[in-house]
Amino acid sequence: MRTRQSTATALEEQQVPVKAKLAAAWASFMFLYIYMDILAFYKPGVVDDILIGVVWEFDITQTWAITALILLAIPIFMVALSMLLPARANRIANLVVASIQVPFAAFNAVGELGGSWMYFYFLGVALELFILALILRYAWTWPRTAPMTGRGDQPRP
């Protein structure tokens, strides 16, 4: 009679390219960004205000809608750009766009200070800031290749 012997082997840990990490982080940021807005519809009075043409203190106009679309399109495009841009342009774009998104994300919580849904907004903003910090870290620490010496494929010491 044979007994099966369990051989536990470690899973292979494959290196994820920086471009893929950045695209995944932007996709996560985008979903969180959108779902924060969707879940905010459940806050009492929000839908009533939308039906009369007001979001927060802003009148719903074509200009407001275009602005909202542009702001939402930024992380959407960063998903694709993180995979498509060459490394140097990619790094710069991620550093610049994520840096601009940080104060914008924080601004969303300021309007809710002391509000009834303050914890919801603070948690959402904290999660957004965490993802933006990951993006900044991935872009800032993008691996560099060793400079070539001109003597074949040997890098400089």
Side-chain angles (χ1 to χ4, degrees), residues 105-155:
F107 169 78
N108 288 329
V110 172
E112 286 299 317
L113 285 174
S116 62
W117 279 48
M118 179 175 70
Y119 299 116
F120 166 76
Y121 286 104
F122 279 11
L123 176 59
V125 167
L127 294 171
E128 287 178 1
L129 291 174
F130 174 75
I131 294 170
L132 290 169
L134 283 177
I135 291 167
L136 289 168
R137 181 176 179 268
Y138 292 147
W140 187 259
T141 61
W142 196 301
R144 298 181 183 273
T145 57
M148 302 308 281
T149 63
R151 295 177 287 157
D153 291 326
Q154 300 298 318

Side-chain angles (χ1 to χ4, degrees), residues 69-82:
L69 178 61
I70 290 168
L71 292 174
L72 186 58
I74 293 169
I76 292 170
F77 278 113
M78 287 308 296
V79 174
L81 291 175
S82 293

Side-chain angles (χ1 to χ4, degrees), residues 32-114:
L32 185 58
Y33 187 79
I34 291 169
Y35 275 99
M36 286 285 299
D37 286 344
I38 292 169
L39 291 171
F41 289 150
Y42 292 97
K43 180 180 173 185
V46 169
V47 173
D48 294 333
D49 286 348
I50 291 171
L51 292 175
I52 62 169
V54 177
V55 173
W56 284 354
E57 303 297 322
F58 303 105
D59 290 334
I60 299 174
T61 63
Q62 182 169 250
T63 302
W64 175 87
I66 290 170
T67 303
L69 178 61
I70 290 168
L71 292 174
L72 186 58
I74 293 169
I76 292 170
F77 278 113
M78 287 308 296
V79 174
L81 291 175
S82 293
M83 291 300 291
L84 300 174
L85 288 175
R88 183 171 170 78
N90 202 331
R91 180 176 187 261
I92 292 168
N94 275 279
L95 289 170
V96 169
V97 174
S99 296
I100 291 169
Q101 289 288 324
V102 167
F104 182 74
F107 169 78
N108 288 329
V110 172
E112 286 299 317
L113 285 174

